[in-house]
Amino acid sequence: MYERGFFRPPQAWVGDVIPWQEDGRFHLFYLHESRRTPKIGMPWHRVVTDDLVTFTETGTALASGGPDADDFNVYTGSVVVADGVHHLFYTGQNPDRRGADGLPLQLVLHATSTDGMRTWQRHPAHTFGATAGYETADWRDPFVFRDEAAGLWRMLITARHADGPERRRGVIAQCVSHDLRTWEPAEAFWDPRRYIAHECPEVFEWNGWWYLVYSEFSESFTTRYRVSRSLHGPWTVPADDSLDGRAYYAAKSAARGDRRFFFGWIASREGGVDDGAWQWAGTLSVLEAEQNPDGTLRFHPPVELAESFDRGVAAVASGAVLSAPDGYADLVVAETAPATFRVDAVFDIAAETTEFGLLLRASDDGDEGYVLRVEPRRNRLVFDRWPRLRTGGEQWQVSGDVPFAVELERAVTLEAGPHRLEVVVDGDLCVATVDGAVTLSTRLYDRTTGGIRAFVGEGEVSVVALEVSTRETDGGASTARHDDLLVTSSS
């Protein structure tokens, strides 16, 4: 994989990211998942980036405390600075240490750095566990921030009530401190009584709006946000409250100037195959948030990623029309695509069109490949593929009752007229964005080669512009002319 704009350490995976921006540089602490058996203890590692495209690994930031320590596993937390000292708050867990509920105990721990985050001094005396009313086995992901209006520090903690329906005990607990050493329990910060837990919480203020971001630990496994005019709520639910789909998780943010970036991971699949179960941890991926006038957010990869693609492979001039009022038509954009490429397409959708989109790594006849399907009638973007999972040797023995990869669906408003579909493919990673606002990330494992096609089903689209680009170092791609494109249809 020619990995720019994404990051995965050699022979390991990126877990939850703890971003910190200082002097224009992003310091991205992350849970370094080796997937080794037996377990060796989870450490924090750190990568740094100035341009959001190239990432430099600096190695272990906070090592496992060892097999006998509270922090055998160093899990998610946050970083703040006070009086020139960096403070790191994190989750400690040791599977051999049990809470009162009989499950592996989770604790909040504290470390400080006086040398610019190069080394950290642990402070075991500052360790504390769940306060009254919460499960001892779920007390993690401390997010610390300064509340200047109240003159104190607040800590948000992923927690669960000690009683209530098993799948609806999730709560964001809160503690407060005046010195970053002694913490006292406070009223729960957010208590919707929904889902198993609300992981990796954070809050921030941006241009007069407050945002609460969390990763929903449920059957959905996605990062969501809420918005308010006040730190103390009430928190409202945007019409589209998610950052991405099922494959993008545990995103937390950092700002540089008036730009805000979210750093999450695209999950890998077990066995490195399309039908493998989603796994915990994967590859670091960055999304940028932009504000709408009503305070809601739109998400897309940063422009720096698009600008890292500098060489045209194929371009479709304006004017190509795909029309199939009661059928299907497609257009060959590139017969063979490189391993890493970007597609930037603008389609003008006729009213009442059922679907259109792009085929990626498609077979020569376009019958097999990955599908990014935009469905105006249903106002959604979905990820699909053919062939789907085969359940037997007969023609009908295919998972045809599955309309698409059901966890990979994003709602998007699609009125008649022009819409932009941008796609970045880098090895087995795929990130698609509609109108610079709605993003869907996933993996492409089974098919490693093939072409690119545009298509329409039951309707008409005009290809206003379509360009495929790669990076100069990728090589091996040829440039196709608009005159060489082939349009096929059936009805």
Side-chain angles (χ1 to χ4, degrees), residues 79-207:
V79 176
V80 296
V81 64
D83 300 323
V85 176
H86 290 87
H87 294 256
L88 185 156
F89 296 90
Y90 64 100
T91 308
Q93 190 259 6
N94 188 320
D96 292 333
R97 304 206 172 174
R98 302 279 163 165
D101 44 21
L103 298 174
L105 184 66
Q106 292 186 344
L107 302 166
V108 169
L109 292 90
H110 181 209
T112 56
S113 175
T114 58
D115 60 3
M117 300 183 289
R118 288 187 292 274
T119 61
W120 296 91
Q121 175 66 45
R122 285 172 161 92
H123 300 288
H126 301 164
T127 299
F128 66 99
T131 56
Y134 297 119
E135 293 182 355
T136 63
D138 287 274
W139 189 252
R140 62 182 179 275
D141 308 341
F143 176 79
V144 175
F145 67 101
R146 181 71 179 172
D147 182 351
E148 293 292 354
L152 50 74
W153 297 90
R154 297 187 183 275
M155 178 188 290
L156 309 187
I157 305 169
T158 295
R160 280 170 51 81
H161 290 291
D163 56 19
E166 180 66 24
R167 291 183 295 106
R168 297 202 302 274
R169 295 185 189 178
V171 58
I172 297 178
Q174 181 178 203
C175 293
V176 296
S177 175
H178 291 279
D179 60 5
L180 292 173
R181 291 167 176 79
T182 303
W183 294 88
E184 300 295 333
E187 182 182 4
F189 186 82
W190 192 55
D191 192 7
R193 289 282 181 166
R194 295 195 72 189
Y195 309 122
I196 297 170
H198 310 281
E199 298 189 302
C200 301
E202 68 165 327
V203 294
F204 58 87
E205 186 274 336
W206 191 12
N207 296 331

Side-chain angles (χ1 to χ4, degrees), residues 430-451:
C430 177
V431 180
T433 306
V434 177
D435 293 335
V438 177
T439 296
L440 178 64
S441 301
T442 189
R443 294 277 182 173
L444 314 177
Y445 282 118
D446 294 353
R447 297 188 63 86
T448 58
T449 61

Side-chain angles (χ1 to χ4, degrees), residues 309-318 320 331-338 340-347 358-359 421 423 450-454 463-471 475-486:
F309 291 84
D310 50 19
R311 192 160 77 94
V313 176
V316 178
S318 61
L331 175 153
V332 178
V333 176
E335 293 183 356
T336 303
T340 300
F341 61 89
R342 176 175 179 266
V343 182
D344 189 355
V346 177
F347 297 95
L358 294 170
L359 305 179
L421 176 58
V423 183
I452 302 171
R453 292 178 179 234
V463 183
V464 178
L466 195 158
E467 181 175 289
V468 180
S469 56
T470 185
R471 295 185 172 114
S478 60
T479 300
R481 290 169 48 84
H482 173 49
D483 296 341
D484 298 330
L485 298 175
L486 173 65

